[in-house]
Amino acid sequence: MYRFLLTPRWWGINLFVVLAIPFCVFMGTWQLGRFEDRVQSHEQAAKQPDPSTRTAEPLDELLPVDKVTSGRPAIATGTYADQFLVPGRELDDRAGFYVLNLLRTDGGKALPVVRGWLPGTAGSVPVPAAPEGEVTVTGDLQASENVNSKGVNSRGGLPEGQLGMISAATLVNLVDYDVYDAWVTLPGTEAGGASSAAGDAAGDAMKPVPAAAPQGSGLDLKAFQNLGYTGEWFVFAGFVLFMWFRLVRREAEAVRDVALGLVPEGGDAAAGGGPSEGGGPSEGGGPSEGGGPSEGGGPSEGREASAGAEVSAGAEASEASEGPTAPADTSKPVETVPAASVPKAPETEKGP
């Protein structure tokens, strides 16, 4: 009964099913692994001690920045150079901007250092000057921002001296020296750092920028999207298997009907019980057989019988409608008229 599974058409269907189900299972498992990784990294981040309690390490030993080294205290020594303002950054639900300075290290590369956050609009608020001379900074290490980072302005068109994204790819276009593919944010104890009295007063207004968790390490919307995609892939695998089983069952039933003679070989279900066989108007009881106008009772074969029946009906109607009549005159000969030529008598009102 199931030999049809070896036909070329079913070979294609079976091949699709064999490839589709493992692929769906693999993709669902991969999405589930992504979700579990995010949950695990979130738990690890929650268990990590406060960055301020950790021992700071040299910057070069923590690079490149990953989920493990992100947020770790890093030490770097150098001289502050160019300064940039990063507008459109919020802190404690207030709008403001970051104050960023590039620290030229002994190796020649510059490390972006976010010295603090100020409320207001960039360019209209006084900014404390950076310390002069060689300094040693200790800040929480962060990975370079991208277009998906919170607060990033990727549209461009900012005034000179302002920066939309803290990234080495952006800074190398603004300065003529190499930049580390990372940046640090200073803790509260080192926020400000101006050398003059006016700078100290302005520096006290700056607030430290807390280190952000690395991207992909929290239970954000993307994590739950991974979980949703996991369910979709497994549901699709089940749907493919269900449709294959349904097609096999339908084909097996058709083969069984042919074997039992319910359907002629090469036919379909419509040939066995449709309107064209057994009960349709064209066989058995339709007008074209047995009782239709073209066989047995049609006008071409029973014209004389119909005419005779009409004459008889007309005569009976005449006798019933005429009422009492005078005795027939037997003195005159009765003229015989063929039944076929006698017209049907009109119906008249009955007499009193």
Short mmCIF file of all heavy atoms in Angstrom, two decimals, residues 105-170:
data_model
loop_
_atom_site.label_atom_id
_atom_site.label_comp_id
_atom_site.label_asym_id
_atom_site.label_seq_id
_atom_site.Cartn_x
_atom_site.Cartn_y
_atom_site.Cartn_z
N THR A 105 49.15 58.15 25.73
CA THR A 105 50.02 57.30 26.55
C THR A 105 51.44 57.30 26.02
O THR A 105 51.73 57.86 24.96
CB THR A 105 49.46 55.87 26.57
OG1 THR A 105 49.48 55.34 25.23
CG2 THR A 105 48.04 55.83 27.11
N ASP A 106 52.33 56.64 26.78
CA ASP A 106 53.74 56.60 26.38
C ASP A 106 53.92 55.83 25.07
O ASP A 106 54.87 56.07 24.33
CB ASP A 106 54.57 55.94 27.48
CG ASP A 106 54.55 56.74 28.77
OD1 ASP A 106 54.29 57.96 28.68
OD2 ASP A 106 54.76 56.15 29.85
N GLY A 107 53.01 54.92 24.77
CA GLY A 107 53.12 54.15 23.53
C GLY A 107 52.70 54.92 22.30
O GLY A 107 52.83 54.41 21.19
N GLY A 108 52.17 56.13 22.47
CA GLY A 108 51.75 56.93 21.33
C GLY A 108 50.26 56.86 21.05
O GLY A 108 49.70 57.76 20.44
N LYS A 109 49.58 55.79 21.48
CA LYS A 109 48.14 55.68 21.28
C LYS A 109 47.40 56.46 22.35
O LYS A 109 47.91 56.69 23.45
CB LYS A 109 47.71 54.20 21.29
CG LYS A 109 48.34 53.38 20.18
CD LYS A 109 47.87 51.94 20.22
CE LYS A 109 46.41 51.83 19.85
NZ LYS A 109 45.99 50.42 19.74
N ALA A 110 46.18 56.85 22.02
CA ALA A 110 45.37 57.66 22.93
C ALA A 110 44.21 56.82 23.46
O ALA A 110 43.60 56.03 22.73
CB ALA A 110 44.85 58.90 22.23
N LEU A 111 43.91 57.02 24.73
CA LEU A 111 42.79 56.32 25.38
C LEU A 111 41.67 57.33 25.65
O LEU A 111 41.88 58.32 26.35
CB LEU A 111 43.25 55.70 26.70
CG LEU A 111 42.14 55.07 27.57
CD1 LEU A 111 41.55 53.86 26.87
CD2 LEU A 111 42.68 54.70 28.95
N PRO A 112 40.47 57.12 25.10
CA PRO A 112 39.35 58.01 25.42
C PRO A 112 38.95 57.86 26.89
O PRO A 112 38.72 56.75 27.37
CB PRO A 112 38.24 57.54 24.48
CG PRO A 112 38.93 56.77 23.40
CD PRO A 112 40.11 56.14 24.05
N VAL A 113 38.87 58.98 27.58
CA VAL A 113 38.53 58.99 29.00
C VAL A 113 37.32 59.89 29.19
O VAL A 113 37.37 61.09 28.87
CB VAL A 113 39.71 59.49 29.86
CG1 VAL A 113 39.31 59.54 31.33
CG2 VAL A 113 40.93 58.61 29.66
N VAL A 114 36.22 59.32 29.69
CA VAL A 114 35.03 60.12 30.02
C VAL A 114 35.21 60.61 31.45
O VAL A 114 35.11 59.83 32.41
CB VAL A 114 33.75 59.28 29.86
CG1 VAL A 114 32.54 60.07 30.35
CG2 VAL A 114 33.56 58.87 28.41
N ARG A 115 35.47 61.87 31.60
CA ARG A 115 35.77 62.44 32.91
C ARG A 115 34.52 62.68 33.74
O ARG A 115 34.60 62.77 34.97
CB ARG A 115 36.55 63.73 32.73
CG ARG A 115 37.92 63.52 32.10
CD ARG A 115 38.61 64.83 31.75
NE ARG A 115 38.53 65.78 32.83
CZ ARG A 115 38.16 67.06 32.66
NH1 ARG A 115 37.83 67.52 31.47
NH2 ARG A 115 38.12 67.88 33.70
N GLY A 116 33.36 62.82 33.08
CA GLY A 116 32.13 63.03 33.83
C GLY A 116 30.99 63.46 32.94
O GLY A 116 31.11 63.53 31.70
N TRP A 117 29.87 63.75 33.59
CA TRP A 117 28.63 64.15 32.89
C TRP A 117 28.16 65.49 33.44
O TRP A 117 28.24 65.75 34.66
CB TRP A 117 27.57 63.10 33.13
CG TRP A 117 26.19 63.46 32.62
CD1 TRP A 117 25.70 63.22 31.37
CD2 TRP A 117 25.14 64.11 33.34
NE1 TRP A 117 24.41 63.68 31.26
CE2 TRP A 117 24.03 64.23 32.47
CE3 TRP A 117 25.04 64.61 34.64
CZ2 TRP A 117 22.83 64.81 32.85
CZ3 TRP A 117 23.84 65.20 35.04
CH2 TRP A 117 22.75 65.30 34.15
N LEU A 118 27.69 66.34 32.54
CA LEU A 118 27.16 67.64 32.92
C LEU A 118 25.75 67.79 32.38
O LEU A 118 25.46 67.38 31.24
CB LEU A 118 28.03 68.76 32.37
CG LEU A 118 29.38 68.99 33.05
CD1 LEU A 118 30.19 70.04 32.28
CD2 LEU A 118 29.18 69.42 34.50
N PRO A 119 24.85 68.41 33.15
CA PRO A 119 23.50 68.65 32.63
C PRO A 119 23.48 69.84 31.69
O PRO A 119 24.36 70.71 31.74
CB PRO A 119 22.69 68.94 33.91
CG PRO A 119 23.69 69.52 34.85
CD PRO A 119 24.99 68.84 34.56
N GLY A 120 22.48 69.86 30.82
CA GLY A 120 22.34 70.97 29.90
C GLY A 120 22.69 70.59 28.47
O GLY A 120 22.75 69.42 28.11
N THR A 121 22.94 71.64 27.68
CA THR A 121 23.24 71.47 26.27
C THR A 121 24.73 71.62 26.03
O THR A 121 25.35 72.56 26.54
CB THR A 121 22.46 72.49 25.42
OG1 THR A 121 21.08 72.37 25.69
CG2 THR A 121 22.72 72.26 23.93
N ALA A 122 25.29 70.71 25.27
CA ALA A 122 26.72 70.77 24.98
C ALA A 122 27.04 72.06 24.23
O ALA A 122 26.37 72.42 23.26
CB ALA A 122 27.12 69.56 24.14
N GLY A 123 28.08 72.74 24.66
CA GLY A 123 28.49 73.98 24.04
C GLY A 123 27.97 75.21 24.74
O GLY A 123 28.48 76.32 24.51
N SER A 124 26.94 75.06 25.58
CA SER A 124 26.39 76.22 26.29
C SER A 124 26.65 76.17 27.79
O SER A 124 26.23 77.07 28.51
CB SER A 124 24.87 76.30 26.05
OG SER A 124 24.21 75.13 26.54
N VAL A 125 27.34 75.13 28.25
CA VAL A 125 27.63 74.97 29.67
C VAL A 125 29.14 74.97 29.85
O VAL A 125 29.86 74.29 29.08
CB VAL A 125 27.02 73.65 30.21
CG1 VAL A 125 27.39 73.44 31.67
CG2 VAL A 125 25.51 73.65 30.03
N PRO A 126 29.66 75.72 30.80
CA PRO A 126 31.12 75.71 31.04
C PRO A 126 31.61 74.32 31.42
O PRO A 126 30.96 73.59 32.18
CB PRO A 126 31.30 76.71 32.20
CG PRO A 126 30.07 77.54 32.19
CD PRO A 126 28.97 76.68 31.69
N VAL A 127 32.76 73.96 30.87
CA VAL A 127 33.34 72.64 31.11
C VAL A 127 34.67 72.81 31.83
O VAL A 127 35.50 73.62 31.43
CB VAL A 127 33.54 71.88 29.77
CG1 VAL A 127 34.20 70.54 30.02
CG2 VAL A 127 32.20 71.70 29.06
N PRO A 128 34.91 72.05 32.90
CA PRO A 128 36.19 72.18 33.62
C PRO A 128 37.33 71.69 32.76
O PRO A 128 37.20 70.74 31.99
CB PRO A 128 35.99 71.30 34.85
CG PRO A 128 34.93 70.33 34.46
CD PRO A 128 34.02 71.06 33.53
N ALA A 129 38.45 72.35 32.91
CA ALA A 129 39.64 71.98 32.13
C ALA A 129 40.23 70.70 32.68
O ALA A 129 40.12 70.38 33.87
CB ALA A 129 40.66 73.10 32.18
N ALA A 130 40.86 69.94 31.81
CA ALA A 130 41.50 68.70 32.22
C ALA A 130 42.81 68.98 32.93
O ALA A 130 43.44 70.02 32.71
CB ALA A 130 41.74 67.82 30.98
N PRO A 131 43.27 68.11 33.80
CA PRO A 131 44.56 68.31 34.48
C PRO A 131 45.70 68.39 33.47
O PRO A 131 45.67 67.73 32.43
CB PRO A 131 44.69 67.07 35.36
CG PRO A 131 43.30 66.56 35.54
CD PRO A 131 42.59 66.88 34.27
N GLU A 132 46.67 69.18 33.77
CA GLU A 132 47.82 69.34 32.89
C GLU A 132 48.96 68.43 33.34
O GLU A 132 49.02 68.02 34.51
CB GLU A 132 48.28 70.79 32.89
CG GLU A 132 47.25 71.76 32.36
CD GLU A 132 47.75 73.20 32.38
OE1 GLU A 132 48.89 73.42 32.89
OE2 GLU A 132 47.02 74.09 31.92
N GLY A 133 49.85 68.14 32.42
CA GLY A 133 51.00 67.31 32.75
C GLY A 133 50.64 65.82 32.71
O GLY A 133 49.53 65.42 32.33
N GLU A 134 51.59 65.03 33.14
CA GLU A 134 51.39 63.58 33.13
C GLU A 134 50.49 63.17 34.30
O GLU A 134 50.72 63.58 35.44
CB GLU A 134 52.73 62.86 33.19
CG GLU A 134 52.61 61.36 33.03
CD GLU A 134 53.97 60.67 33.03
OE1 GLU A 134 54.64 60.73 34.08
OE2 GLU A 134 54.35 60.10 31.99
N VAL A 135 49.52 62.36 33.99
CA VAL A 135 48.57 61.90 35.01
C VAL A 135 48.40 60.40 34.88
O VAL A 135 48.65 59.81 33.81
CB VAL A 135 47.20 62.59 34.88
CG1 VAL A 135 47.31 64.09 35.16
CG2 VAL A 135 46.60 62.34 33.51
N THR A 136 47.98 59.80 35.96
CA THR A 136 47.65 58.38 35.97
C THR A 136 46.17 58.25 36.31
O THR A 136 45.73 58.73 37.37
CB THR A 136 48.49 57.60 36.98
OG1 THR A 136 49.88 57.71 36.63
CG2 THR A 136 48.10 56.13 37.00
N VAL A 137 45.42 57.67 35.42
CA VAL A 137 43.97 57.54 35.61
C VAL A 137 43.62 56.08 35.85
O VAL A 137 44.28 55.16 35.33
CB VAL A 137 43.19 58.09 34.40
CG1 VAL A 137 43.49 59.57 34.22
CG2 VAL A 137 43.50 57.32 33.15
N THR A 138 42.59 55.89 36.63
CA THR A 138 42.03 54.56 36.88
C THR A 138 40.53 54.63 36.60
O THR A 138 39.81 55.37 37.30
CB THR A 138 42.27 54.10 38.32
OG1 THR A 138 43.67 54.09 38.60
CG2 THR A 138 41.70 52.71 38.55
N GLY A 139 40.09 53.93 35.61
CA GLY A 139 38.69 53.98 35.22
C GLY A 139 38.15 52.62 34.84
O GLY A 139 38.92 51.67 34.59
N ASP A 140 36.84 52.52 34.80
CA ASP A 140 36.18 51.26 34.42
C ASP A 140 36.23 51.10 32.90
O ASP A 140 35.78 51.99 32.15
CB ASP A 140 34.73 51.27 34.90
CG ASP A 140 34.63 51.37 36.43
OD1 ASP A 140 35.58 50.91 37.10
OD2 ASP A 140 33.62 51.90 36.93
N LEU A 141 36.76 49.99 32.47
CA LEU A 141 36.97 49.74 31.05
C LEU A 141 35.64 49.47 30.35
O LEU A 141 34.79 48.75 30.86
CB LEU A 141 37.91 48.55 30.86
CG LEU A 141 38.39 48.26 29.45
CD1 LEU A 141 39.22 49.43 28.93
CD2 LEU A 141 39.21 46.97 29.44
N GLN A 142 35.49 50.06 29.17
CA GLN A 142 34.27 49.88 28.37
C GLN A 142 34.66 49.61 26.91
O GLN A 142 35.69 50.09 26.43
CB GLN A 142 33.41 51.14 28.41
CG GLN A 142 32.93 51.53 29.81
CD GLN A 142 31.75 50.69 30.26
OE1 GLN A 142 30.60 51.02 30.05
NE2 GLN A 142 32.07 49.57 30.93
N ALA A 143 33.82 48.83 26.23
CA ALA A 143 34.04 48.57 24.81
C ALA A 143 33.57 49.76 23.97
O ALA A 143 32.71 50.55 24.40
CB ALA A 143 33.30 47.31 24.38
N SER A 144 34.13 49.90 22.78
CA SER A 144 33.72 50.98 21.89
C SER A 144 32.23 50.87 21.57
O SER A 144 31.67 49.77 21.44
CB SER A 144 34.53 50.94 20.59
OG SER A 144 35.88 51.23 20.84
N GLU A 145 31.57 52.01 21.47
CA GLU A 145 30.13 52.04 21.18
C GLU A 145 29.88 51.74 19.70
O GLU A 145 30.77 51.87 18.85
CB GLU A 145 29.55 53.41 21.55
CG GLU A 145 29.58 53.71 23.04
CD GLU A 145 28.96 55.06 23.35
OE1 GLU A 145 28.92 55.93 22.45
OE2 GLU A 145 28.53 55.26 24.50
N ASN A 146 28.64 51.37 19.41
CA ASN A 146 28.20 51.17 18.03
C ASN A 146 26.81 51.77 17.86
O ASN A 146 26.28 52.40 18.79
CB ASN A 146 28.21 49.67 17.67
CG ASN A 146 27.43 48.83 18.64
OD1 ASN A 146 26.28 49.13 18.97
ND2 ASN A 146 28.05 47.76 19.15
N VAL A 147 26.24 51.60 16.70
CA VAL A 147 24.95 52.24 16.41
C VAL A 147 23.83 51.71 17.30
O VAL A 147 22.78 52.36 17.43
CB VAL A 147 24.58 52.04 14.93
CG1 VAL A 147 25.55 52.78 14.03
CG2 VAL A 147 24.56 50.55 14.56
N ASN A 148 24.01 50.53 17.90
CA ASN A 148 22.99 49.97 18.77
C ASN A 148 23.15 50.37 20.24
O ASN A 148 22.31 50.01 21.06
CB ASN A 148 23.00 48.43 18.68
CG ASN A 148 22.65 47.94 17.29
OD1 ASN A 148 21.77 48.50 16.63
ND2 ASN A 148 23.32 46.90 16.82
N SER A 149 24.21 51.09 20.55
CA SER A 149 24.43 51.51 21.93
C SER A 149 23.44 52.61 22.31
O SER A 149 23.02 53.42 21.47
CB SER A 149 25.87 52.00 22.11
OG SER A 149 26.80 50.98 21.80
N LYS A 150 23.10 52.63 23.58
CA LYS A 150 22.14 53.62 24.07
C LYS A 150 22.72 55.02 24.02
O LYS A 150 23.85 55.26 24.45
CB LYS A 150 21.74 53.28 25.51
CG LYS A 150 20.66 54.20 26.07
CD LYS A 150 20.28 53.78 27.47
CE LYS A 150 19.21 54.69 28.05
NZ LYS A 150 18.84 54.31 29.44
N GLY A 151 21.95 55.97 23.48
CA GLY A 151 22.35 57.37 23.44
C GLY A 151 23.22 57.76 22.27
O GLY A 151 23.56 58.94 22.12
N VAL A 152 23.57 56.82 21.41
CA VAL A 152 24.47 57.13 20.29
C VAL A 152 23.74 57.94 19.23
O VAL A 152 22.58 57.67 18.89
CB VAL A 152 25.03 55.82 19.69
CG1 VAL A 152 25.67 56.09 18.33
CG2 VAL A 152 26.03 55.19 20.64
N ASN A 153 24.43 58.96 18.73
CA ASN A 153 23.91 59.77 17.62
C ASN A 153 24.70 59.42 16.37
O ASN A 153 25.84 59.86 16.19
CB ASN A 153 24.05 61.26 17.96
CG ASN A 153 23.54 62.15 16.85
OD1 ASN A 153 22.93 61.68 15.89
ND2 ASN A 153 23.77 63.45 16.97
N SER A 154 24.09 58.62 15.49
CA SER A 154 24.76 58.19 14.27
C SER A 154 24.37 59.03 13.06
O SER A 154 24.80 58.73 11.95
CB SER A 154 24.42 56.71 13.99
OG SER A 154 23.03 56.53 13.87
N ARG A 155 23.57 60.06 13.27
CA ARG A 155 23.14 60.89 12.13
C ARG A 155 24.23 61.85 11.67
O ARG A 155 24.24 62.28 10.53
CB ARG A 155 21.89 61.68 12.51
CG ARG A 155 20.68 60.81 12.83
CD ARG A 155 19.45 61.67 13.04
NE ARG A 155 19.64 62.61 14.13
CZ ARG A 155 19.33 62.35 15.38
NH1 ARG A 155 18.87 61.16 15.72
NH2 ARG A 155 19.50 63.26 16.33
N GLY A 156 25.11 62.21 12.56
CA GLY A 156 26.16 63.15 12.19
C GLY A 156 25.66 64.59 12.22
O GLY A 156 24.60 64.91 12.77
N GLY A 157 26.43 65.47 11.60
CA GLY A 157 26.05 66.87 11.54
C GLY A 157 26.23 67.62 12.85
O GLY A 157 25.59 68.66 13.06
N LEU A 158 27.09 67.12 13.73
CA LEU A 158 27.33 67.79 15.01
C LEU A 158 28.33 68.92 14.85
O LEU A 158 29.18 68.90 13.95
CB LEU A 158 27.83 66.78 16.04
CG LEU A 158 26.87 65.66 16.42
CD1 LEU A 158 27.56 64.66 17.35
CD2 LEU A 158 25.62 66.21 17.09
N PRO A 159 28.25 69.90 15.71
CA PRO A 159 29.23 71.01 15.64
C PRO A 159 30.65 70.51 15.91
O PRO A 159 30.86 69.42 16.44
CB PRO A 159 28.76 71.97 16.73
CG PRO A 159 27.33 71.61 16.98
CD PRO A 159 27.22 70.14 16.73
N GLU A 160 31.61 71.32 15.55
CA GLU A 160 33.00 70.96 15.78
C GLU A 160 33.28 70.83 17.27
O GLU A 160 32.83 71.64 18.08
CB GLU A 160 33.92 72.03 15.17
CG GLU A 160 35.40 71.68 15.26
CD GLU A 160 36.27 72.74 14.60
OE1 GLU A 160 35.69 73.71 14.05
OE2 GLU A 160 37.50 72.60 14.65
N GLY A 161 34.02 69.81 17.64
CA GLY A 161 34.32 69.57 19.04
C GLY A 161 33.32 68.65 19.73
O GLY A 161 33.48 68.38 20.92
N GLN A 162 32.32 68.18 19.00
CA GLN A 162 31.33 67.28 19.58
C GLN A 162 31.40 65.92 18.88
O GLN A 162 31.76 65.82 17.70
CB GLN A 162 29.92 67.85 19.47
CG GLN A 162 29.73 69.13 20.28
CD GLN A 162 28.29 69.58 20.32
OE1 GLN A 162 27.37 68.83 20.03
NE2 GLN A 162 28.09 70.84 20.72
N LEU A 163 31.00 64.91 19.61
CA LEU A 163 31.15 63.53 19.16
C LEU A 163 29.85 62.78 19.42
O LEU A 163 29.27 62.87 20.50
CB LEU A 163 32.32 62.86 19.91
CG LEU A 163 32.76 61.47 19.50
CD1 LEU A 163 33.38 61.51 18.10
CD2 LEU A 163 33.78 60.94 20.50
N GLY A 164 29.38 62.05 18.41
CA GLY A 164 28.12 61.31 18.57
C GLY A 164 28.29 59.90 19.07
O GLY A 164 27.36 59.32 19.62
N MET A 165 29.48 59.33 18.91
CA MET A 165 29.72 57.93 19.29
C MET A 165 31.14 57.80 19.83
O MET A 165 32.09 58.28 19.19
CB MET A 165 29.53 57.01 18.08
CG MET A 165 29.75 55.54 18.35
SD MET A 165 29.75 54.55 16.82
CE MET A 165 28.19 55.01 16.09
N ILE A 166 31.28 57.16 20.98
CA ILE A 166 32.62 56.94 21.56
C ILE A 166 33.17 55.67 20.94
O ILE A 166 32.91 54.55 21.40
CB ILE A 166 32.55 56.83 23.08
CG1 ILE A 166 31.83 58.04 23.67
CG2 ILE A 166 33.94 56.71 23.67
CD1 ILE A 166 31.62 57.96 25.17
N SER A 167 33.92 55.86 19.89
CA SER A 167 34.43 54.71 19.13
C SER A 167 35.75 55.10 18.49
O SER A 167 35.93 56.25 18.02
CB SER A 167 33.42 54.28 18.06
OG SER A 167 33.97 53.34 17.18
N ALA A 168 36.67 54.14 18.43
CA ALA A 168 37.95 54.39 17.79
C ALA A 168 37.76 54.69 16.30
O ALA A 168 38.47 55.51 15.72
CB ALA A 168 38.87 53.19 17.97
N ALA A 169 36.78 54.02 15.67
CA ALA A 169 36.53 54.25 14.24
C ALA A 169 36.10 55.69 13.97
O ALA A 169 36.36 56.23 12.89
CB ALA A 169 35.48 53.26 13.74
N THR A 170 35.45 56.31 14.94
CA THR A 170 35.02 57.70 14.78
C THR A 170 36.13 58.67 15.13
O THR A 170 36.35 59.68 14.44
CB THR A 170 33.79 57.97 15.67
OG1 THR A 170 32.75 57.05 15.34
CG2 THR A 170 33.28 59.38 15.47
#
